[in-house]
Amino acid sequence: MSGLYKGVSGLSLFISIPILISYLGDTDYGLWVLVFALFQWVLLMDFGLASVLKTKVPILIHENRQDLLKSYLKSTYKITAYIALFLFVFFLVLIFIIDLKTFLKIPVHSSMFVKKLFVINMFFFCLNFLFNVHKSLFVAFLKGKYAEQSIAVNQILFLASLGVLILIAPNIPSEDKLMIITLLNGLSCFLVNFLYTLFFFYKEELNLKTTVKTSKEFLKEIIVLGTKYMIIQVGLLFVFSSDNYILSSVFGPKDIVPYEIVNKYFQFPIMIMLATLSPLWSMFAKNYVQNKKAVLLASFKRFNLLFIIMFLFIALISLICPFVISIWIKDKITLPSGLILYTAIATLFRVFVTFYTFFLNGIGKLNKYIILLLLSVFLKIPLSYLFIHLNFGINSVVISTVIILLIWVVFIPLECYNIIKKIPSDE
């Protein structure tokens, strides 16, 4: 079912992009992409708490420590609320210090409107940051399909509200369009997250009432592990989500559109892979704790066979990409030569390495992965600007990602197999 919900989410996203481009125009759609990219940064900037949930909760359930589980969940919500408040204040100050209009080369709208647009989005993003915890809880309780279901419902609700907006207000000023879309996106996301949070606690018959306090030792362990996940999340965001800002700072928001369209097109196989792998995070943690070496090796083998199918699928969608985009996007879009090929290679590498990073995340063996990720972060911007200087245009950010992922494809699977070798035989 997770795959079905992920497919619905992907289809809704697929439909919404040409609608937004047609309604907003290239420049304002580029601005919306920059704002929405910031949304993704904030949602994942949780100091690793969501990732720790997916790793620690299965262990607490396995050990039948219900009171400690309740105390841990309660502490997680408290800490998440504090982080949300801190992030809002921090970005509020940052937005008013930096001249975003000049920095991002936004040719339209006043500087004050751009700041206001980012602030309102930031408010909703921080609000949803708190209520987004339910997704990790569903995955931790091995019910990841509901996490994917909530994303699908959110996408459909936003798409429907966008359709209504276009029907009743097709010709309003561009600033009003951006502001209303911001409100629709923020409110629909909050409503869905809030209702699914209530649904989780109802379905699992859980509440946060407990007299047990989380021990300092346990909290320390969580903070140490959470910090590692935080470094990983920020590193991944930097490697995969900084492209729009690099391109905008050099070329402007309008030139983001071709990159964004191809990038979104190739997100479909990544979404399928993430939906398939989502339950494995907690299952890896459980099997590793129980020293189930054969089970883990069998899952590795199944994935390697599955990857052959994914390779053929990505090759196929690469071939039909120009045709699909010509139908998908009604406005004429000029794609730089090589963009589809480079993005396909990056997608292929990312799909392969994602499985093995899920294993490392699930078992908490992160030190070498973090070192590799930090090296990638330091390489990303110099490589991107090097290829821009060499006149590769918007392809530059994708080529830099391909080079980084090629290193990952070699080293991360090797690390996973080395860890498996050290597990005592479960015969």
Short mmCIF file of all heavy atoms in Angstrom, two decimals, residues 1-7 139 144-145 148 268-280 354 358:
data_model
loop_
_atom_site.label_atom_id
_atom_site.label_comp_id
_atom_site.label_asym_id
_atom_site.label_seq_id
_atom_site.Cartn_x
_atom_site.Cartn_y
_atom_site.Cartn_z
N MET A 1 0.82 -1.22 0.00
CA MET A 1 0.00 0.00 0.00
C MET A 1 0.86 1.27 0.00
O MET A 1 0.45 2.30 -0.54
CB MET A 1 -0.94 0.01 1.22
CG MET A 1 -2.05 -1.01 1.16
SD MET A 1 -3.13 -0.73 -0.27
CE MET A 1 -3.97 0.76 0.24
N SER A 2 2.05 1.18 0.65
CA SER A 2 2.93 2.36 0.67
C SER A 2 3.27 2.80 -0.74
O SER A 2 3.29 4.00 -1.04
CB SER A 2 4.21 2.04 1.45
OG SER A 2 3.93 1.85 2.82
N GLY A 3 3.54 1.81 -1.62
CA GLY A 3 3.86 2.13 -3.01
C GLY A 3 2.71 2.81 -3.72
O GLY A 3 2.91 3.75 -4.50
N LEU A 4 1.48 2.37 -3.43
CA LEU A 4 0.29 2.97 -4.04
C LEU A 4 0.14 4.43 -3.60
O LEU A 4 -0.09 5.32 -4.43
CB LEU A 4 -0.95 2.18 -3.65
CG LEU A 4 -2.30 2.77 -4.10
CD1 LEU A 4 -2.38 2.83 -5.62
CD2 LEU A 4 -3.46 1.97 -3.51
N TYR A 5 0.28 4.67 -2.29
CA TYR A 5 0.15 6.03 -1.76
C TYR A 5 1.26 6.93 -2.31
O TYR A 5 1.04 8.10 -2.62
CB TYR A 5 0.18 6.03 -0.24
CG TYR A 5 -1.00 5.35 0.40
CD1 TYR A 5 -0.84 4.45 1.46
CD2 TYR A 5 -2.29 5.58 -0.06
CE1 TYR A 5 -1.92 3.80 2.04
CE2 TYR A 5 -3.39 4.94 0.51
CZ TYR A 5 -3.19 4.06 1.56
OH TYR A 5 -4.27 3.42 2.13
N LYS A 6 2.48 6.36 -2.42
CA LYS A 6 3.59 7.13 -2.97
C LYS A 6 3.31 7.48 -4.43
O LYS A 6 3.63 8.58 -4.89
CB LYS A 6 4.88 6.31 -2.87
CG LYS A 6 6.14 7.15 -2.89
CD LYS A 6 6.28 7.92 -1.59
CE LYS A 6 7.61 8.62 -1.47
NZ LYS A 6 7.75 9.37 -0.22
N GLY A 7 2.69 6.52 -5.16
CA GLY A 7 2.32 6.78 -6.54
C GLY A 7 1.30 7.89 -6.66
O GLY A 7 1.40 8.75 -7.55
N VAL A 139 6.24 4.93 10.98
CA VAL A 139 7.33 4.08 10.48
C VAL A 139 7.93 3.28 11.63
O VAL A 139 8.20 2.07 11.49
CB VAL A 139 8.42 4.93 9.79
CG1 VAL A 139 9.63 4.07 9.43
CG2 VAL A 139 7.86 5.59 8.54
N GLY A 144 4.29 2.13 8.21
CA GLY A 144 4.72 3.22 7.34
C GLY A 144 3.71 3.60 6.28
O GLY A 144 3.76 4.71 5.74
N LYS A 145 2.78 2.69 5.97
CA LYS A 145 1.80 3.00 4.92
C LYS A 145 0.95 4.21 5.30
O LYS A 145 0.52 4.98 4.41
CB LYS A 145 0.90 1.80 4.65
CG LYS A 145 -0.02 1.40 5.79
CD LYS A 145 -0.91 0.23 5.40
CE LYS A 145 -1.87 -0.14 6.53
NZ LYS A 145 -2.75 -1.27 6.16
N GLU A 148 2.83 7.39 4.42
CA GLU A 148 2.70 7.67 2.98
C GLU A 148 1.28 8.11 2.64
O GLU A 148 1.08 8.96 1.76
CB GLU A 148 3.08 6.44 2.17
CG GLU A 148 4.52 5.98 2.36
CD GLU A 148 5.53 7.03 1.96
OE1 GLU A 148 5.18 7.90 1.14
OE2 GLU A 148 6.66 7.00 2.48
N PHE A 268 10.27 10.49 -9.37
CA PHE A 268 9.30 9.40 -9.28
C PHE A 268 9.95 8.08 -8.87
O PHE A 268 9.48 7.42 -7.94
CB PHE A 268 8.55 9.25 -10.61
CG PHE A 268 7.35 8.36 -10.54
CD1 PHE A 268 6.28 8.66 -9.72
CD2 PHE A 268 7.30 7.19 -11.28
CE1 PHE A 268 5.18 7.83 -9.65
CE2 PHE A 268 6.21 6.35 -11.21
CZ PHE A 268 5.14 6.67 -10.39
N PRO A 269 11.05 7.62 -9.54
CA PRO A 269 11.69 6.39 -9.08
C PRO A 269 12.25 6.49 -7.66
O PRO A 269 12.26 5.51 -6.91
CB PRO A 269 12.81 6.14 -10.10
CG PRO A 269 13.00 7.43 -10.80
CD PRO A 269 11.69 8.12 -10.78
N ILE A 270 12.71 7.70 -7.27
CA ILE A 270 13.21 7.88 -5.91
C ILE A 270 12.07 7.75 -4.91
O ILE A 270 12.22 7.13 -3.85
CB ILE A 270 13.91 9.25 -5.77
CG1 ILE A 270 15.16 9.29 -6.65
CG2 ILE A 270 14.28 9.52 -4.31
CD1 ILE A 270 15.84 10.64 -6.71
N MET A 271 10.90 8.31 -5.24
CA MET A 271 9.74 8.20 -4.37
C MET A 271 9.30 6.75 -4.21
O MET A 271 8.95 6.30 -3.11
CB MET A 271 8.58 9.04 -4.92
CG MET A 271 8.81 10.54 -4.85
SD MET A 271 7.51 11.48 -5.69
CE MET A 271 6.14 11.21 -4.60
N ILE A 272 9.33 6.00 -5.32
CA ILE A 272 8.99 4.57 -5.25
C ILE A 272 9.95 3.84 -4.33
O ILE A 272 9.56 3.03 -3.48
CB ILE A 272 9.01 3.95 -6.67
CG1 ILE A 272 7.90 4.54 -7.53
CG2 ILE A 272 8.86 2.43 -6.58
CD1 ILE A 272 7.96 4.10 -8.99
N MET A 273 11.25 4.13 -4.48
CA MET A 273 12.26 3.47 -3.68
C MET A 273 12.10 3.81 -2.20
O MET A 273 12.17 2.93 -1.33
CB MET A 273 13.66 3.88 -4.17
CG MET A 273 14.81 3.22 -3.41
SD MET A 273 14.74 1.42 -3.41
CE MET A 273 14.79 1.07 -5.15
N LEU A 274 11.88 5.08 -1.88
CA LEU A 274 11.71 5.49 -0.49
C LEU A 274 10.48 4.84 0.14
O LEU A 274 10.49 4.46 1.30
CB LEU A 274 11.64 7.01 -0.39
CG LEU A 274 12.94 7.77 -0.68
CD1 LEU A 274 12.70 9.27 -0.66
CD2 LEU A 274 14.03 7.39 0.31
N ALA A 275 9.41 4.74 -0.64
CA ALA A 275 8.19 4.09 -0.14
C ALA A 275 8.44 2.62 0.15
O ALA A 275 7.96 2.07 1.14
CB ALA A 275 7.06 4.25 -1.15
N THR A 276 9.21 1.98 -0.74
CA THR A 276 9.52 0.57 -0.56
C THR A 276 10.43 0.34 0.64
O THR A 276 10.27 -0.62 1.40
CB THR A 276 10.21 0.01 -1.83
OG1 THR A 276 9.37 0.27 -2.97
CG2 THR A 276 10.44 -1.49 -1.71
N LEU A 277 11.39 1.25 0.82
CA LEU A 277 12.40 1.06 1.88
C LEU A 277 11.96 1.57 3.24
O LEU A 277 12.54 1.17 4.25
CB LEU A 277 13.69 1.79 1.47
CG LEU A 277 14.42 1.31 0.23
CD1 LEU A 277 15.69 2.13 0.02
CD2 LEU A 277 14.77 -0.17 0.35
N SER A 278 10.96 2.44 3.29
CA SER A 278 10.58 3.08 4.54
C SER A 278 10.42 2.12 5.72
O SER A 278 10.97 2.36 6.81
CB SER A 278 9.29 3.89 4.34
OG SER A 278 8.98 4.60 5.51
N PRO A 279 9.72 0.98 5.58
CA PRO A 279 9.59 0.06 6.72
C PRO A 279 10.90 -0.63 7.10
O PRO A 279 11.03 -1.13 8.22
CB PRO A 279 8.56 -0.98 6.23
CG PRO A 279 7.93 -0.38 5.02
CD PRO A 279 8.95 0.52 4.42
N LEU A 280 11.87 -0.66 6.16
CA LEU A 280 13.11 -1.40 6.41
C LEU A 280 13.98 -0.74 7.47
O LEU A 280 14.77 -1.42 8.12
CB LEU A 280 13.91 -1.54 5.11
CG LEU A 280 13.30 -2.41 4.01
CD1 LEU A 280 14.24 -2.49 2.82
CD2 LEU A 280 13.02 -3.81 4.54
N THR A 354 20.72 4.59 -1.62
CA THR A 354 19.73 4.86 -0.58
C THR A 354 19.44 3.63 0.27
O THR A 354 19.29 3.72 1.49
CB THR A 354 18.41 5.37 -1.21
OG1 THR A 354 18.66 6.63 -1.83
CG2 THR A 354 17.32 5.56 -0.16
N PHE A 358 20.00 3.47 4.34
CA PHE A 358 18.91 3.10 5.26
C PHE A 358 19.40 2.07 6.27
O PHE A 358 19.04 2.12 7.45
CB PHE A 358 17.72 2.53 4.47
CG PHE A 358 16.62 3.54 4.24
CD1 PHE A 358 16.89 4.71 3.56
CD2 PHE A 358 15.33 3.32 4.68
CE1 PHE A 358 15.89 5.64 3.33
CE2 PHE A 358 14.32 4.25 4.45
CZ PHE A 358 14.60 5.41 3.77
#
